[in-house]
Amino acid sequence: MPDDGPIEGLLLEFGRASARKWRAGGFAIMRRSEASLGSATVIGAALAVLLLGCGGGGRAPAPPAALKVAPDFALKDLQGNLYHSSDAKGTVRLVDFWATWCAPCRQEVPMFKDFHAAYGSKGFTLVGIAMDDEGVEKVKPYVDDMKIPYLTLIGDEGVVDAFGGVVGFPTKFLIDREGRIVDSWVGEVPRAVLEKKIQSLL
């Protein structure tokens, strides 16, 4: 953490052009270049760190009106196959932005594996979007080691922008069968909260 005050230090960290990352409380911050983060976004992210730093997850800002319908995107999976978001049309989707270096993200993997096993046959699709700078070279060994059974894609800035921006990991978007974003969270979310929400949409 920088030696400046908490807000000033966070603003400094967010303002750097280099792509680095660090963890605060219940989620990990993704830093982006000054060109891609406006001052309002930076300040909001800094406040989120302070609010969520005591642990646990928090509700992400409501998506803008234009984003109440989940965006279309196309990304490659770990085998190099192109996945289109429309492939999961008609299912309840949990889109999780994460990274292998993010401790809160790793802690949620067992819960996600359980959700995949319990609800995958009932119309639930879990989509993990890995944001590691090293891409598949870093992500695939981790997924193989953890025996992650659900879909894992390699993310990029395009999909981040399509969802309105992601300031921390993990960030989750819950999408109903009609393709609408019904909820979103930054940081770890209690299992009971997330599972109840998923069950209500199935």
Side-chain angles (χ1 to χ4, degrees):
M1 177 69 69
D3 294 331
D4 310 80
I7 294 292
E8 291 83 353
L10 288 168
L11 294 179
L12 174 63
E13 292 297 329
F14 272 94
R16 298 193 192 283
S18 60
R20 295 159 55 198
K21 55 265 184 178
W22 52 278
R23 181 186 172 185
F27 71 111
I29 294 300
M30 178 179 73
R31 285 184 280 167
R32 302 167 66 190
S33 69
E34 291 177 319
S36 62
L37 275 177
S39 59
T41 302
V42 172
I43 292 171
L47 291 174
V49 172
L50 296 181
L51 291 173
L52 297 179
C54 293
R59 188 66 54 85
L67 285 179
K68 287 183 178 177
V69 174
D72 292 326
F73 63 88
L75 295 171
K76 289 185 177 181
D77 65 17
L78 301 183
Q79 288 71 46
N81 302 310
L82 191 63
Y83 169 87
H84 295 270
S85 55
S86 58
D87 293 346
K89 184 177 180 180
T91 67
V92 174
R93 283 151 278 173
L94 182 65
V95 177
D96 178 53
F97 286 85
W98 69 290
T100 62
W101 49 262
C102 163
C105 302
R106 296 195 300 268
Q107 290 168 6
E108 290 190 322
V109 168
M111 174 178 70
F112 288 161
K113 290 168 70 173
D114 288 347
F115 288 172
H116 174 77
Y119 306 116
S121 62
K122 298 179 181 179
F124 173 69
T125 301
L126 209 160
V127 181
I129 299 182
M131 296 300 297
D132 292 76
D133 294 338
E134 302 87 349
V136 68
E137 177 182 336
K138 180 74 173 180
V139 177
K140 191 175 187 305
Y142 178 81
V143 169
D144 289 344
D145 183 58
M146 293 296 295
K147 296 181 172 57
I148 294 177
Y150 50 85
L151 179 65
T152 300
L153 306 174
I154 301 300
D156 56 26
E157 287 297 308
V159 70
V160 167
D161 291 340
F163 275 89
V166 172
V167 296
F169 301 132
T171 290
K172 291 171 281 294
F173 294 89
L174 186 60
I175 303 166
D176 67 13
R177 292 182 185 273
E178 285 70 47
R180 298 169 299 198
I181 297 175
V182 297
D183 221 330
S184 57
W185 299 267
V186 177
E188 296 176 71
V189 180
R191 177 177 180 137
V193 172
L194 190 52
E195 190 163 20
K196 182 177 180 180
K197 196 76 176 183
I198 291 169
Q199 289 173 338
S200 72
L201 297 174
L202 290 173

